[in-house]
Every structure is written in structure tokens, then in C-alpha cells.
Amino acid sequence: MQRTPIELRHLQTLLALRDTGSVSRAALWLHLTQSALSHQIKALEDFYGLPLFVRKSSPLVFTAAGKRLLALAEEVVPALDEAGRDLTRLAQGTQGTLRIAVECHTCFDWLMPAMDAFRQRWPEVELDIVSGFHADPIGLLHQDRADLAIISEREEGEAVDFHPLFRFQMMALMANDHPLAGKPYLDAVDFRDETLITYPVPDDMLDIVRQVLRPAGIEPTRRTTELTVAILQLVASRRGLAALPLWAVSGYLERRYVSARPITPQGLTAELWAATLPAITTRPYIGEFVSLMRETSLLTLAEIELL
């Protein structure tokens, strides 16, 4: 009997290609180089003498051979994942809590898909978001008021485990008819005579202040509001400028509600991390929730890069 070259990693790669729509994004999802992923696919194609997808198609288009293997992957990979979770439950128990604290006003948009997927896989775990905005979510971990915190910076010296999520670009937002909309990017000096519209958080939690304005000695007038849509309404009516993640405002930019420009020639980037106490990290479902946050973010958010 002829031995098949198909391995579980091949099936996982096919699912990643289906879900991300491109070789480059699938490689990010699987923590592989693009070259390694392409080598996997080419090995199967060479063995069977058939292409699995149409090169340079966007989004990626599977051939008949690719669709056949994709159907196999859709059957086998979820069954193996479910069996692995069942074995984990037998070994370590099924009950638990996962209380999530966030310091990011815009986190809820990308967090919801991960939470929905997690509930389907771990229905026995009580999943909840600690209500309200928290300037010190790691403090909630130490107070046993949260199990996992979403943070923007790792804090050296903290007795916690940090789990990388993703990196993203911050964009300067302005009214479509604002004079600064004619510039290719904004520098710190462009904010000097403007009102900076932000969430009501300390300056140290604002990347635009901490990384760009403060080093340049610029302190613009501040106006704050809790809601992203309120910030955008103020920007659209020429009440000031804002700096928000590209993924948080991409829908408004597509509708030309406001205009966006990079901040500095190099661009202003920020990061998000998850944090847990070491004792919590060992819970069997924590690693899967972190993976789900990374996977769903890559699929649903505009122009992010996994850490």
C-alpha cells in the first residue's frame, strides 16, 4: 500500500490558507516563514503532480485537488483539536473562570470574536469581562479580580507572564477638509496648535503623547470622550485631531467619514499583549484563548502584525 505524504501540519496549513486568503498571512498565523510554508505545499504538489491553488490569486483560489485536501482538513483537524481538549479535560478538569481586564477602549471590537470562539470550545469555563476601563489591569491580577489582562506594554519586573498578541499602526485622524489632510504624514509640530481628542486616560497611556509629542516638548490642548464614535464625530466637525489604531477606524475611513495620515515619516506603531499570573498560565484553556485572540485578530483586523 502506498504511504501518503499528507501530515497534520499540511492539513493545518491548508486551513490557514483558506482562512487568511494568502500565503504570507497564513505563514504569520502558523508562526512559519513564507518559504517554509511554500515548501510544505510544493512537496505535496510534487508528490501528486497537481497544483493545490492558483498562484498570485487574491484572495487565494483552491484548485480541485486543493479543495479535496481542504475537505479532508476540515474533517480531521477539528476532530483532533476536540480530542485534545477532551484529554486535557480528563487530565486537568473542566471547570474554571476567565475574567478579562482591558486598558484599551478599542479592544472590545476584536476581543468579541475570540470570546465567541472560546465559548464554543470551552463551555464549562465561566468567561467574563471585568466591567469598566482599567488604568492598571495587572494590579487586578494581583488582587484576584481578573485572570487575564490586555495591556499595551510589558512592565519589566512584574511577576507575571506576558503573551504576545499583535503590533499595529496608529494613525492621525482629521476632517476631510482639514489643511493637514494635504500632508503625506504628520509630525509632532502639526499638533502644536490643535486640540488633541482622546479617551479620558493618563498621558502615559497615550502612544501619541508618550512617543511623539512629549519628546518634542509639545503639549496640545486636550479634549476627552469615552466613545470612539464620539471622537470621530468631533474630528469630522473640525474640533481637533485624534490618534487611533488603523484597525479601529478602517470602516470609517472606507466611508470617507474622516481622513487619516501616518504619524512621523517612520509611522507610529503600538503593541498589545496579554498578561497572566504564573499560576493562572498553567490552566489548560489559557493558551488556547491567547491563540484564539491572535488568530481572530489576524483574520478580522486591518493591517496588523502578529508579535
Side-chain angles (χ1 to χ4, degrees), residues 273-297:
W273 297 72
T276 56
L277 296 182
I280 302 298
T281 304
T282 59
R283 293 181 183 176
Y285 47 82
I286 291 295
E288 182 152 12
F289 185 68
V290 171
S291 295
L292 282 171
M293 285 192 289
R294 289 168 56 85
E295 292 171 7
T296 57
S297 298

PDB file of all heavy atoms in Angstrom, residues 273-297:
ATOM      1  N   TRP A 273      -0.495  43.097  24.358  1.00  0.00           N
ATOM      2  CA  TRP A 273      -0.040  41.865  24.994  1.00  0.00           C
ATOM      3  C   TRP A 273      -1.129  41.371  25.938  1.00  0.00           C
ATOM      4  O   TRP A 273      -1.965  42.155  26.405  1.00  0.00           O
ATOM      5  CB  TRP A 273       1.237  42.107  25.794  1.00  0.00           C
ATOM      6  CG  TRP A 273       2.403  42.530  24.976  1.00  0.00           C
ATOM      7  CD1 TRP A 273       2.612  43.737  24.367  1.00  0.00           C
ATOM      8  CD2 TRP A 273       3.536  41.730  24.648  1.00  0.00           C
ATOM      9  NE1 TRP A 273       3.805  43.739  23.693  1.00  0.00           N
ATOM     10  CE2 TRP A 273       4.395  42.523  23.846  1.00  0.00           C
ATOM     11  CE3 TRP A 273       3.925  40.426  24.970  1.00  0.00           C
ATOM     12  CZ2 TRP A 273       5.609  42.036  23.360  1.00  0.00           C
ATOM     13  CZ3 TRP A 273       5.134  39.946  24.481  1.00  0.00           C
ATOM     14  CH2 TRP A 273       5.955  40.745  23.683  1.00  0.00           C
ATOM     15  N   ALA A 274      -1.096  40.099  26.221  1.00  0.00           N
ATOM     16  CA  ALA A 274      -1.922  39.537  27.295  1.00  0.00           C
ATOM     17  C   ALA A 274      -0.997  39.213  28.463  1.00  0.00           C
ATOM     18  O   ALA A 274       0.165  38.847  28.261  1.00  0.00           O
ATOM     19  CB  ALA A 274      -2.653  38.289  26.830  1.00  0.00           C
ATOM     20  N   ALA A 275      -1.508  39.362  29.663  1.00  0.00           N
ATOM     21  CA  ALA A 275      -0.713  39.077  30.855  1.00  0.00           C
ATOM     22  C   ALA A 275      -1.511  38.189  31.810  1.00  0.00           C
ATOM     23  O   ALA A 275      -2.712  38.394  31.990  1.00  0.00           O
ATOM     24  CB  ALA A 275      -0.307  40.376  31.554  1.00  0.00           C
ATOM     25  N   THR A 276      -0.834  37.223  32.399  1.00  0.00           N
ATOM     26  CA  THR A 276      -1.439  36.353  33.400  1.00  0.00           C
ATOM     27  C   THR A 276      -0.430  36.095  34.512  1.00  0.00           C
ATOM     28  O   THR A 276       0.786  36.167  34.279  1.00  0.00           O
ATOM     29  CB  THR A 276      -1.870  34.988  32.808  1.00  0.00           C
ATOM     30  OG1 THR A 276      -0.728  34.367  32.197  1.00  0.00           O
ATOM     31  CG2 THR A 276      -2.972  35.157  31.763  1.00  0.00           C
ATOM     32  N   LEU A 277      -0.912  35.783  35.690  1.00  0.00           N
ATOM     33  CA  LEU A 277      -0.021  35.343  36.750  1.00  0.00           C
ATOM     34  C   LEU A 277       0.462  33.929  36.427  1.00  0.00           C
ATOM     35  O   LEU A 277      -0.265  33.146  35.794  1.00  0.00           O
ATOM     36  CB  LEU A 277      -0.744  35.354  38.094  1.00  0.00           C
ATOM     37  CG  LEU A 277      -1.219  36.720  38.606  1.00  0.00           C
ATOM     38  CD1 LEU A 277      -1.876  36.561  39.972  1.00  0.00           C
ATOM     39  CD2 LEU A 277      -0.084  37.716  38.672  1.00  0.00           C
ATOM     40  N   PRO A 278       1.683  33.562  36.829  1.00  0.00           N
ATOM     41  CA  PRO A 278       2.211  32.229  36.507  1.00  0.00           C
ATOM     42  C   PRO A 278       1.279  31.087  36.902  1.00  0.00           C
ATOM     43  O   PRO A 278       1.154  30.108  36.161  1.00  0.00           O
ATOM     44  CB  PRO A 278       3.527  32.181  37.288  1.00  0.00           C
ATOM     45  CG  PRO A 278       3.968  33.617  37.343  1.00  0.00           C
ATOM     46  CD  PRO A 278       2.695  34.405  37.514  1.00  0.00           C
ATOM     47  N   ALA A 279       0.602  31.214  38.034  1.00  0.00           N
ATOM     48  CA  ALA A 279      -0.297  30.145  38.463  1.00  0.00           C
ATOM     49  C   ALA A 279      -1.493  30.000  37.530  1.00  0.00           C
ATOM     50  O   ALA A 279      -2.034  28.903  37.351  1.00  0.00           O
ATOM     51  CB  ALA A 279      -0.773  30.408  39.898  1.00  0.00           C
ATOM     52  N   ILE A 280      -1.908  31.109  36.927  1.00  0.00           N
ATOM     53  CA  ILE A 280      -3.046  31.089  36.005  1.00  0.00           C
ATOM     54  C   ILE A 280      -2.617  30.568  34.628  1.00  0.00           C
ATOM     55  O   ILE A 280      -3.380  29.889  33.937  1.00  0.00           O
ATOM     56  CB  ILE A 280      -3.649  32.492  35.867  1.00  0.00           C
ATOM     57  CG1 ILE A 280      -4.099  33.024  37.235  1.00  0.00           C
ATOM     58  CG2 ILE A 280      -4.808  32.497  34.885  1.00  0.00           C
ATOM     59  CD1 ILE A 280      -5.176  32.200  37.878  1.00  0.00           C
ATOM     60  N   THR A 281      -1.386  30.884  34.240  1.00  0.00           N
ATOM     61  CA  THR A 281      -0.894  30.469  32.923  1.00  0.00           C
ATOM     62  C   THR A 281      -1.007  28.968  32.721  1.00  0.00           C
ATOM     63  O   THR A 281      -1.217  28.489  31.610  1.00  0.00           O
ATOM     64  CB  THR A 281       0.569  30.919  32.743  1.00  0.00           C
ATOM     65  OG1 THR A 281       0.656  32.342  32.932  1.00  0.00           O
ATOM     66  CG2 THR A 281       1.082  30.584  31.348  1.00  0.00           C
ATOM     67  N   THR A 282      -0.867  28.199  33.802  1.00  0.00           N
ATOM     68  CA  THR A 282      -0.886  26.739  33.688  1.00  0.00           C
ATOM     69  C   THR A 282      -2.286  26.174  33.485  1.00  0.00           C
ATOM     70  O   THR A 282      -2.415  24.975  33.205  1.00  0.00           O
ATOM     71  CB  THR A 282      -0.286  26.108  34.955  1.00  0.00           C
ATOM     72  OG1 THR A 282      -1.038  26.531  36.117  1.00  0.00           O
ATOM     73  CG2 THR A 282       1.174  26.537  35.137  1.00  0.00           C
ATOM     74  N   ARG A 283      -3.329  26.983  33.617  1.00  0.00           N
ATOM     75  CA  ARG A 283      -4.668  26.464  33.345  1.00  0.00           C
ATOM     76  C   ARG A 283      -4.741  26.030  31.884  1.00  0.00           C
ATOM     77  O   ARG A 283      -4.256  26.730  30.999  1.00  0.00           O
ATOM     78  CB  ARG A 283      -5.724  27.537  33.626  1.00  0.00           C
ATOM     79  CG  ARG A 283      -5.852  27.905  35.103  1.00  0.00           C
ATOM     80  CD  ARG A 283      -6.930  28.968  35.299  1.00  0.00           C
ATOM     81  NE  ARG A 283      -7.015  29.383  36.695  1.00  0.00           N
ATOM     82  CZ  ARG A 283      -7.819  30.341  37.144  1.00  0.00           C
ATOM     83  NH1 ARG A 283      -8.612  30.995  36.288  1.00  0.00           N
ATOM     84  NH2 ARG A 283      -7.838  30.664  38.421  1.00  0.00           N
ATOM     85  N   PRO A 284      -5.343  24.881  31.609  1.00  0.00           N
ATOM     86  CA  PRO A 284      -5.272  24.312  30.259  1.00  0.00           C
ATOM     87  C   PRO A 284      -5.882  25.173  29.166  1.00  0.00           C
ATOM     88  O   PRO A 284      -5.483  25.075  28.010  1.00  0.00           O
ATOM     89  CB  PRO A 284      -6.021  22.984  30.398  1.00  0.00           C
ATOM     90  CG  PRO A 284      -6.883  23.141  31.612  1.00  0.00           C
ATOM     91  CD  PRO A 284      -6.105  24.017  32.532  1.00  0.00           C
ATOM     92  N   TYR A 285      -6.835  26.047  29.507  1.00  0.00           N
ATOM     93  CA  TYR A 285      -7.530  26.812  28.471  1.00  0.00           C
ATOM     94  C   TYR A 285      -6.912  28.182  28.216  1.00  0.00           C
ATOM     95  O   TYR A 285      -7.303  28.866  27.266  1.00  0.00           O
ATOM     96  CB  TYR A 285      -9.010  26.996  28.855  1.00  0.00           C
ATOM     97  CG  TYR A 285      -9.229  27.451  30.280  1.00  0.00           C
ATOM     98  CD1 TYR A 285      -9.115  28.785  30.630  1.00  0.00           C
ATOM     99  CD2 TYR A 285      -9.559  26.540  31.284  1.00  0.00           C
ATOM    100  CE1 TYR A 285      -9.322  29.204  31.936  1.00  0.00           C
ATOM    101  CE2 TYR A 285      -9.771  26.948  32.587  1.00  0.00           C
ATOM    102  CZ  TYR A 285      -9.643  28.286  32.902  1.00  0.00           C
ATOM    103  OH  TYR A 285      -9.842  28.687  34.200  1.00  0.00           O
ATOM    104  N   ILE A 286      -5.945  28.603  29.029  1.00  0.00           N
ATOM    105  CA  ILE A 286      -5.355  29.925  28.850  1.00  0.00           C
ATOM    106  C   ILE A 286      -4.605  30.017  27.521  1.00  0.00           C
ATOM    107  O   ILE A 286      -4.755  30.968  26.748  1.00  0.00           O
ATOM    108  CB  ILE A 286      -4.416  30.280  30.018  1.00  0.00           C
ATOM    109  CG1 ILE A 286      -5.225  30.488  31.304  1.00  0.00           C
ATOM    110  CG2 ILE A 286      -3.606  31.535  29.696  1.00  0.00           C
ATOM    111  CD1 ILE A 286      -6.169  31.669  31.272  1.00  0.00           C
ATOM    112  N   GLY A 287      -3.775  29.018  27.235  1.00  0.00           N
ATOM    113  CA  GLY A 287      -3.020  29.031  25.994  1.00  0.00           C
ATOM    114  C   GLY A 287      -3.915  29.059  24.773  1.00  0.00           C
ATOM    115  O   GLY A 287      -3.621  29.751  23.785  1.00  0.00           O
ATOM    116  N   GLU A 288      -5.043  28.336  24.845  1.00  0.00           N
ATOM    117  CA  GLU A 288      -5.943  28.317  23.691  1.00  0.00           C
ATOM    118  C   GLU A 288      -6.620  29.676  23.507  1.00  0.00           C
ATOM    119  O   GLU A 288      -6.816  30.121  22.377  1.00  0.00           O
ATOM    120  CB  GLU A 288      -6.995  27.227  23.845  1.00  0.00           C
ATOM    121  CG  GLU A 288      -7.930  27.139  22.656  1.00  0.00           C
ATOM    122  CD  GLU A 288      -8.509  25.760  22.443  1.00  0.00           C
ATOM    123  OE1 GLU A 288      -8.387  24.910  23.330  1.00  0.00           O
ATOM    124  OE2 GLU A 288      -9.103  25.551  21.379  1.00  0.00           O
ATOM    125  N   PHE A 289      -6.958  30.343  24.602  1.00  0.00           N
ATOM    126  CA  PHE A 289      -7.585  31.654  24.467  1.00  0.00           C
ATOM    127  C   PHE A 289      -6.610  32.661  23.861  1.00  0.00           C
ATOM    128  O   PHE A 289      -6.997  33.473  22.997  1.00  0.00           O
ATOM    129  CB  PHE A 289      -8.099  32.160  25.812  1.00  0.00           C
ATOM    130  CG  PHE A 289      -8.847  33.456  25.702  1.00  0.00           C
ATOM    131  CD1 PHE A 289     -10.070  33.513  25.058  1.00  0.00           C
ATOM    132  CD2 PHE A 289      -8.322  34.628  26.225  1.00  0.00           C
ATOM    133  CE1 PHE A 289     -10.766  34.713  24.930  1.00  0.00           C
ATOM    134  CE2 PHE A 289      -9.008  35.832  26.106  1.00  0.00           C
ATOM    135  CZ  PHE A 289     -10.235  35.869  25.460  1.00  0.00           C
ATOM    136  N   VAL A 290      -5.347  32.618  24.272  1.00  0.00           N
ATOM    137  CA  VAL A 290      -4.347  33.510  23.687  1.00  0.00           C
ATOM    138  C   VAL A 290      -4.218  33.231  22.191  1.00  0.00           C
ATOM    139  O   VAL A 290      -4.163  34.158  21.372  1.00  0.00           O
ATOM    140  CB  VAL A 290      -2.989  33.352  24.399  1.00  0.00           C
ATOM    141  CG1 VAL A 290      -1.896  34.116  23.649  1.00  0.00           C
ATOM    142  CG2 VAL A 290      -3.076  33.853  25.843  1.00  0.00           C
ATOM    143  N   SER A 291      -4.183  31.962  21.813  1.00  0.00           N
ATOM    144  CA  SER A 291      -4.093  31.611  20.392  1.00  0.00           C
ATOM    145  C   SER A 291      -5.309  32.115  19.619  1.00  0.00           C
ATOM    146  O   SER A 291      -5.183  32.614  18.490  1.00  0.00           O
ATOM    147  CB  SER A 291      -3.966  30.096  20.226  1.00  0.00           C
ATOM    148  OG  SER A 291      -2.753  29.628  20.769  1.00  0.00           O
ATOM    149  N   LEU A 292      -6.489  32.003  20.215  1.00  0.00           N
ATOM    150  CA  LEU A 292      -7.700  32.472  19.549  1.00  0.00           C
ATOM    151  C   LEU A 292      -7.675  33.982  19.359  1.00  0.00           C
ATOM    152  O   LEU A 292      -8.118  34.494  18.322  1.00  0.00           O
ATOM    153  CB  LEU A 292      -8.935  32.060  20.355  1.00  0.00           C
ATOM    154  CG  LEU A 292      -9.372  30.605  20.221  1.00  0.00           C
ATOM    155  CD1 LEU A 292     -10.459  30.285  21.233  1.00  0.00           C
ATOM    156  CD2 LEU A 292      -9.860  30.324  18.810  1.00  0.00           C
ATOM    157  N   MET A 293      -7.165  34.719  20.338  1.00  0.00           N
ATOM    158  CA  MET A 293      -7.072  36.168  20.193  1.00  0.00           C
ATOM    159  C   MET A 293      -6.164  36.527  19.024  1.00  0.00           C
ATOM    160  O   MET A 293      -6.478  37.423  18.229  1.00  0.00           O
ATOM    161  CB  MET A 293      -6.549  36.806  21.485  1.00  0.00           C
ATOM    162  CG  MET A 293      -7.574  36.860  22.610  1.00  0.00           C
ATOM    163  SD  MET A 293      -7.032  37.910  23.987  1.00  0.00           S
ATOM    164  CE  MET A 293      -5.729  36.910  24.692  1.00  0.00           C
ATOM    165  N   ARG A 294      -5.044  35.831  18.899  1.00  0.00           N
ATOM    166  CA  ARG A 294      -4.119  36.102  17.808  1.00  0.00           C
ATOM    167  C   ARG A 294      -4.746  35.744  16.456  1.00  0.00           C
ATOM    168  O   ARG A 294      -4.679  36.515  15.496  1.00  0.00           O
ATOM    169  CB  ARG A 294      -2.824  35.304  18.013  1.00  0.00           C
ATOM    170  CG  ARG A 294      -1.971  35.817  19.173  1.00  0.00           C
ATOM    171  CD  ARG A 294      -0.867  34.839  19.537  1.00  0.00           C
ATOM    172  NE  ARG A 294      -0.014  34.507  18.426  1.00  0.00           N
ATOM    173  CZ  ARG A 294       1.049  35.213  18.025  1.00  0.00           C
ATOM    174  NH1 ARG A 294       1.373  36.312  18.686  1.00  0.00           N
ATOM    175  NH2 ARG A 294       1.785  34.838  17.000  1.00  0.00           N
ATOM    176  N   GLU A 295      -5.381  34.570  16.404  1.00  0.00           N
ATOM    177  CA  GLU A 295      -5.930  34.094  15.133  1.00  0.00           C
ATOM    178  C   GLU A 295      -7.092  34.962  14.651  1.00  0.00           C
ATOM    179  O   GLU A 295      -7.143  35.354  13.479  1.00  0.00           O
ATOM    180  CB  GLU A 295      -6.381  32.644  15.290  1.00  0.00           C
ATOM    181  CG  GLU A 295      -5.231  31.669  15.491  1.00  0.00           C
ATOM    182  CD  GLU A 295      -5.714  30.282  15.862  1.00  0.00           C
ATOM    183  OE1 GLU A 295      -6.947  30.062  15.831  1.00  0.00           O
ATOM    184  OE2 GLU A 295      -4.878  29.434  16.196  1.00  0.00           O
ATOM    185  N   THR A 296      -8.036  35.256  15.537  1.00  0.00           N
ATOM    186  CA  THR A 296      -9.194  36.044  15.117  1.00  0.00           C
ATOM    187  C   THR A 296      -8.792  37.475  14.776  1.00  0.00           C
ATOM    188  O   THR A 296      -9.374  38.093  13.877  1.00  0.00           O
ATOM    189  CB  THR A 296     -10.288  36.044  16.193  1.00  0.00           C
ATOM    190  OG1 THR A 296      -9.749  36.533  17.432  1.00  0.00           O
ATOM    191  CG2 THR A 296     -10.836  34.639  16.422  1.00  0.00           C
ATOM    192  N   SER A 297      -7.795  38.003  15.471  1.00  0.00           N
ATOM    193  CA  SER A 297      -7.323  39.361  15.164  1.00  0.00           C
ATOM    194  C   SER A 297      -6.706  39.417  13.778  1.00  0.00           C
ATOM    195  O   SER A 297      -6.953  40.352  13.004  1.00  0.00           O
ATOM    196  CB  SER A 297      -6.302  39.819  16.208  1.00  0.00           C
ATOM    197  OG  SER A 297      -6.872  39.867  17.491  1.00  0.00           O
TER     198      SER A 297
END
